[in-house]
Amino acid sequence: MTIPDKIEQQQFDELLKYISVEKQKRVKQHKRPQNALQIITADILIRSIVHKKFKIKNSNIDFKTNEYGKPYLPGFSEFHFNISHSRKWVVCAVDNMPIGIDVEFIRPINFDIARKFFSHTEYNDLFSKSDSERLEYFYELWTLKESYIKAAGKGMAIPLNSFSIQIINGKITIESQTQFTDYYFRKYDIDVNYKLAVCAKNNLFPDNIIHKSFDQLFEEINK
Ligand SMILES: CC(C)(COP(=O)(O)OP(=O)(O)OC[C@H]1O[C@@H](n2cnc3c(N)ncnc32)[C@H](O)[C@@H]1OP(=O)(O)O)[C@@H](O)C(=O)NCCC(=O)NCCS
């Protein structure tokens, strides 16, 4: 889903009431209103899904995080979810096995960053691309890599250059000497200016994404 460019302070204060006190504190530390709104919207999005699926009242939904910060719903070991946000997009993926998702806005970058975060294979693949393809490919790899570390739930505790992702004829593979790599990947097109990747233990990706409007979200959580 996409978030509005701007909302009134009164509506912002209303939205805050849907999320935990802890998260409210985090949100208030953000100086940029867009970042704050992303975090609130992502939280309400997953709350609306939990509310609909398990018929739990929003006020009784209490997410916890693992030691690396990955949120989960205690008591529902077969419910896995992950969220991501970048600029105007807020995305979420759910499954009955571990899952990770990453969305990134495509902006010009200094490719030196790839030397630091990408494996040799990834770096070589990146530089085998033409100048015009390179930026898009960088973001494809970046989102795939992030979706993997988010699915594995260990965040940056998995060094980004400790595994390699390759996209060959549209097939996405992962290889690592040090990590478990029994994960599957899929890229989705949501917006020409963004890249979106999902990584999951299950190889059961839907072909289509469900788009929700901002208003729909609140209708659903208040049902
Ligand atoms: C978790 C992490 C991967 C978040 O990545 P991000 O792209 O900054 O942020 P996203 O919007 O995709 O995801 C944020 C959400 O991930 C979830 N999350 C937090 N820790 C997580 C973890 N260990 N595993 C999975 N998900 C996690 C939270 O729900 C969080 O939402 P919130 O911020 O609204 O509470 C983080 O570890 C990170 O700092 N990444 C570093 C970025 C980097 O250097 N990338 C180089 C890639 S080549």
Side-chain angles (χ1 to χ4, degrees):
M1 61 181 290
T2 52
I3 54 173
D5 291 336
K6 222 176 150 223
I7 62 167
E8 299 299 326
Q9 185 64 41
Q10 192 195 342
Q11 194 186 7
F12 185 84
D13 293 340
E14 278 299 310
L15 298 183
L16 276 178
K17 293 181 189 160
Y18 287 92
I19 67 175
S20 69
V21 174
E22 266 177 342
K23 202 145 212 177
Q24 288 178 16
K25 281 188 197 145
R26 230 190 90 197
V27 164
K28 284 176 187 161
Q29 285 164 5
H30 278 275
K31 297 220 164 58
R32 295 172 63 191
Q34 193 185 42
N35 289 348
L37 189 54
Q38 282 171 356
I39 296 172
I40 301 177
T41 307
D43 205 78
I44 300 177
L45 175 58
I46 188 62
R47 284 171 175 275
S48 73
I49 293 168
V50 169
H51 169 69
K52 196 171 173 182
K53 193 172 167 67
F54 300 112
K55 311 271 178 288
I56 307 175
K57 251 175 78 179
N58 183 48
S59 54
N60 291 334
I61 299 173
D62 188 15
F63 297 118
K64 295 274 182 274
T65 53
N66 75 6
E67 58 186 302
Y68 304 101
K70 182 171 184 175
Y72 67 95
L73 186 62
F76 295 82
S77 58
E78 289 191 3
F79 179 70
H80 294 259
F81 67 91
N82 198 226
I83 57 178
S84 181
H85 34 76
S86 181
R87 302 265 178 122
K88 66 174 184 178
W89 278 97
V90 171
V91 294
C92 164
V94 298
D95 202 358
N96 60 1
M97 293 277 274
I99 193 153
I101 190 166
D102 193 52
V103 63
E104 297 287 345
F105 176 72
I106 302 171
R107 59 186 167 86
I109 48 127
N110 179 340
F111 286 104
D112 283 349
I113 192 170
R115 200 188 295 275
K116 191 168 166 200
F117 291 117
F118 286 8
S119 70
H120 289 302
T121 310
E122 290 167 339
Y123 188 79
N124 291 339
D125 287 350
L126 182 68
F127 279 88
S128 73
K129 302 285 171 198
S130 65
D131 289 354
S132 61
E133 291 172 331
R134 192 164 299 132
L135 187 64
E136 289 235 353
Y137 193 69
F138 174 88
Y139 276 100
E140 284 181 4
L141 281 183
W142 177 300
T143 52
L144 287 162
K145 287 174 80 64
E146 287 267 328
S147 72
Y148 167 65
I149 61 168
K150 293 181 77 185
K154 291 191 174 174
M156 299 312 284
I158 298 181
L160 285 160
N161 55 9
S162 68
F163 61 96
S164 275
I165 290 187
Q166 286 196 288
I167 312 170
I168 299 170
N169 297 329
K171 192 171 167 10
I172 305 164
T173 56
I174 180 166
E175 208 179 83
S176 173
Q177 305 294 324
T178 51
Q179 312 294 333
F180 293 110
T181 53
D182 50 340
Y183 287 88
Y184 300 92
F185 295 89
R186 175 119 182 210
K187 299 184 279 139
Y188 288 94
D189 293 327
I190 42 163
D191 188 317
V192 285
N193 299 315
Y194 292 76
K195 288 289 174 193
L196 171 64
V198 180
C199 171
K201 279 266 182 192
N202 281 326
N203 191 12
L204 288 169
F205 296 93
D207 288 332
N208 298 311
I209 291 176
I210 300 170
H211 288 259
K212 289 195 178 179
S213 71
F214 205 63
D215 292 340
Q216 196 182 351
L217 191 65
F218 297 100
E219 277 165 30
E220 286 181 6
I221 203 160
N222 287 317
K223 255 186 200 159

